[in-house]
Amino acid sequence: MDSYSTNEALFGRRKVRFAYDLPIGVASLAKAIGASDPAQLIREHTLYPFFVALLEQRQRDEVLRAMLSDLKVHNKVLGRLSHVPRPEFLRFCPACDLANEANAGMRYWQRRHQLPTSLVCVEHRIPLRASSVTTSSGVQRYELVSEPQVQGSPLLPEMGEPSLERFLHLASVGYDLLDWQGKARPAFDPSLRTMVLETGYRRSPGHDDIDNVRLAREFRRDSADLIRLWPWLAKAVNTAGHYGWVTMHTTRDAPPSRVTFTYAVLRSYLQLKKSSFFFPAETRDWTGIHVDLSAVERRRRMESLTEKELKKLVSTTIDQILLEQPPVRALPTEIFRRSPAIAHAWRIDLGGQFRSLLTDRAESLDSFHLRVIRYALTEASRNDRTLSDSDLLHLLGKRTIDEVRKLRAVVERDGFGTDKPSFGARSLE
Ligand SMILES: [Zn+2]
């Protein structure tokens, strides 16, 4: 099925934007798939429980209503949630994929791996990997967890215990913040303020003032890896000792910060600290590690690429698309959705050249249809079926039967069902 037909089946509409983390339009989805409780879909299959964990009931209901509705609403609460770092690509654990394939007959994207706090798989104790499926909802397709999509780099370098333990702990805290199912307000006792006081950051005996500056300094000293991943975590307090993200969580004034991500980071740190955890200080080799870039950093890197490097980036991405099955046409939209870097270059149209470069490299309709026919015939012969010309016409649409016969003749002349890797550039003769 193409994306439009899938949208139609799932939502009753052909055009849908469905975010991976906090999607809207869930009531329509529930109706179309016969789920009786759309709110349950949200609680059990989206990242909603994590992002609203620290909100008041009223705000949680507001987010829930926005997610149920089909209307694109500008929700103040949803807007604020966007301050949390988002992965650029969906993440996966190779060991979970194999286990899911063995147990459930297929791989699937796992919700808890997409949490901003998840850099390792808690079950398998290995770093998660970044797939090639972007999380930006610019252009949408339904993506299986298939081989071409899951060859990404790990999110963390090789590290022994206890460095890995730090990330395992953070991921578990994230899981806890996801697994309360979003019903009654979870009891996250004690509060971070209480934990900070109990962990020894009381400014002086008898007072419950917090020495935020010392806390921030020690957090920085103990968190080289975390800060390497999210540099802004270094701004735990500002120069006057106020209003950093740490202070927001430990303030005496209500309400404290509602940002679940930094809450999880600080909670995990304090719990480890309290259990006399040893925070290692050595540096590691981060070559080949996927690090999500901030928008600013991405722009800076894009702008420093030479034309040759840009062309190489585009070629690599096209090669990757041509490997995917069922076939997808390598159009500019498909090319830039595979790579946030290319998407960015498209938006700013680097040097006025980039859009035309991408358009020039786009796959012709003939080439794409040849690939579709080859794929269909190969799949059919594998299942001992034959396809008529009109079956193929139905698959391609917008073609005459004569054109279909010509395309088919090209594919049959070259042979199909073999392991010919690339046939992207051939055109109809
Ligand atoms: Zn796993």
Side-chain angles (χ1 to χ4, degrees):
M1 281 166 96
D2 62 43
S3 298
Y4 290 123
S5 320
T6 310
N7 284 340
E8 188 103 56
L10 291 179
F11 298 92
R13 281 174 295 139
R14 287 177 68 76
K15 283 199 173 172
V16 172
R17 280 198 172 188
F18 201 75
Y20 81 99
D21 50 359
L22 298 170
I24 60 168
V26 180
S28 304
L29 173 68
K31 199 172 153 206
I33 65 173
S36 56
D37 185 357
Q40 185 196 7
L41 282 182
I42 291 177
R43 288 194 300 265
E44 294 179 7
H45 297 281
T46 75
L47 298 186
Y48 167 83
F50 178 86
F51 285 109
V52 303
L54 303 171
L55 301 183
E56 299 296 336
Q57 180 74 45
R58 185 182 50 77
Q59 296 169 306
R60 292 209 301 269
D61 291 346
E62 213 179 302
V63 176
L64 191 72
R65 267 198 306 278
M67 291 173 73
L68 288 170
S69 152
D70 282 336
L71 297 174
K72 201 174 161 131
V73 282
H74 183 72
N75 182 297
K76 253 203 312 217
V77 181
L78 276 176
R80 216 169 317 131
L81 298 180
S82 66
H83 294 308
V84 174
R86 304 293 172 101
E88 286 177 88
F89 299 95
L90 289 183
R91 296 164 169 187
F92 67 99
C93 163
C96 281
D97 279 357
L98 294 180
N100 293 340
E101 205 157 49
N103 299 331
M106 62 178 200
R107 304 172 177 200
Y108 50 91
W109 300 109
Q110 288 181 232
R111 166 175 80 147
R112 57 189 183 173
H113 290 165
Q114 317 311 327
L115 288 173
T117 43
S118 289
L119 294 147
V120 288
C121 172
V122 173
E123 197 185 348
H124 295 104
R125 306 175 72 85
I126 51 172
L128 294 178
R129 287 167 170 265
S131 74
S132 70
V133 179
T134 72
T135 55
S136 81
S137 58
V139 182
Q140 192 160 24
R141 261 193 8 163
Y142 295 90
E143 308 258 16
L144 297 168
V145 191
S146 58
E147 289 296 343
Q149 274 82 1
V150 293
Q151 298 172 345
S153 323
L155 302 178
L156 290 174
E158 286 283 339
M159 50 172 76
E161 317 267 341
S163 296
L164 191 65
E165 198 60 47
R166 175 91 190 260
F167 286 100
L168 284 164
H169 193 273
L170 177 61
S172 314
V173 171
Y175 285 10
D176 290 345
L177 288 162
L178 181 68
D179 288 341
W180 61 284
Q181 304 304 359
K183 277 185 171 164
R185 190 182 169 81
F188 295 129
D189 287 331
S191 73
L192 290 189
R193 181 175 172 79
T194 308
M195 288 175 76
V196 168
L197 289 168
E198 285 173 355
T199 321
Y201 295 101
R202 196 180 292 275
R203 203 189 287 274
S204 58
H207 289 82
D208 62 352
D209 281 349
I210 291 175
D211 191 348
N212 277 313
V213 174
R214 187 160 61 87
L215 170 58
R217 200 176 55 230
E218 291 185 14
F219 174 83
R220 273 200 296 272
R221 182 197 64 201
D222 295 337
S223 311
D225 290 323
L226 287 183
I227 290 172
R228 185 172 172 126
L229 282 164
W230 302 297
W232 52 269
L233 279 182
K235 294 178 192 159
V237 295
N238 78 358
T239 41
H242 294 113
Y243 306 122
W245 64 266
V246 162
T247 322
M248 311 276 234
H249 283 289
T250 59
T251 173
R252 205 193 316 251
D253 312 324
S257 170
R258 303 294 196 207
V259 181
T260 324
F261 175 71
T262 45
Y263 174 90
V265 169
L266 188 55
R267 186 173 187 96
S268 169
Y269 178 65
L270 292 169
Q271 280 177 355
L272 289 171
K273 194 96 183 162
K274 212 172 169 186
S275 65
S276 311
F277 181 79
F278 168 73
F279 293 93
E282 82 267 30
T283 49
R284 270 167 286 273
D285 181 9
W286 285 69
T287 341
I289 303 306
H290 173 86
V291 178
D292 289 325
L293 301 178
S294 72
V296 176
E297 178 63 12
R298 212 180 299 154
R299 183 183 184 106
R300 200 189 60 73
R301 289 207 193 170
M302 251 353 263
E303 283 167 358
S304 65
L305 288 180
T306 63
E307 197 184 320
K308 200 173 154 200
E309 286 166 326
L310 271 177
K311 281 187 175 156
K312 175 126 193 335
L313 187 61
V314 171
S315 301
T316 315
T317 311
I318 291 178
D319 287 346
Q320 182 203 323
I321 295 174
L322 293 180
L323 277 175
E324 292 179 18
Q325 292 200 326
V328 180
R329 188 170 172 196
L331 291 175
T333 46
E334 281 297 333
I335 298 166
F336 75 63
R337 68 187 293 287
R338 301 314 157 93
S339 153
I342 296 178
H344 178 72
W346 175 268
R347 267 196 302 277
I348 61 176
D349 193 15
L350 278 175
Q353 300 293 309
F354 195 72
R355 291 192 183 201
S356 55
L357 166 70
L358 224 51
T359 316
D360 291 348
R361 294 296 316 272
E363 186 181 24
S364 71
L365 192 63
D366 280 350
S367 158
F368 173 59
H369 280 171
L370 284 171
R371 291 201 297 126
V372 171
I373 291 175
R374 179 184 294 271
Y375 172 75
L377 292 179
T378 306
E379 285 296 299
S381 78
R382 199 175 285 164
N383 296 305
D384 288 325
R385 288 174 48 219
T386 49
L387 294 175
S388 68
D389 292 341
S390 62
D391 288 337
L392 294 176
L393 177 66
H394 182 73
L395 218 52
L396 303 181
K398 290 183 189 165
R399 282 281 190 186
T400 66
I401 193 85
D402 277 346
E403 286 172 329
V404 171
R405 286 195 186 113
K406 272 189 199 159
L407 289 163
R408 179 178 197 150
V410 173
V411 171
E412 287 179 338
R413 188 195 65 205
D414 292 351
F416 58 87
T418 53
D419 287 318
K420 286 200 175 182
S422 173
F423 25 82
R426 211 163 295 167
S427 64
L428 185 58
E429 288 155 37

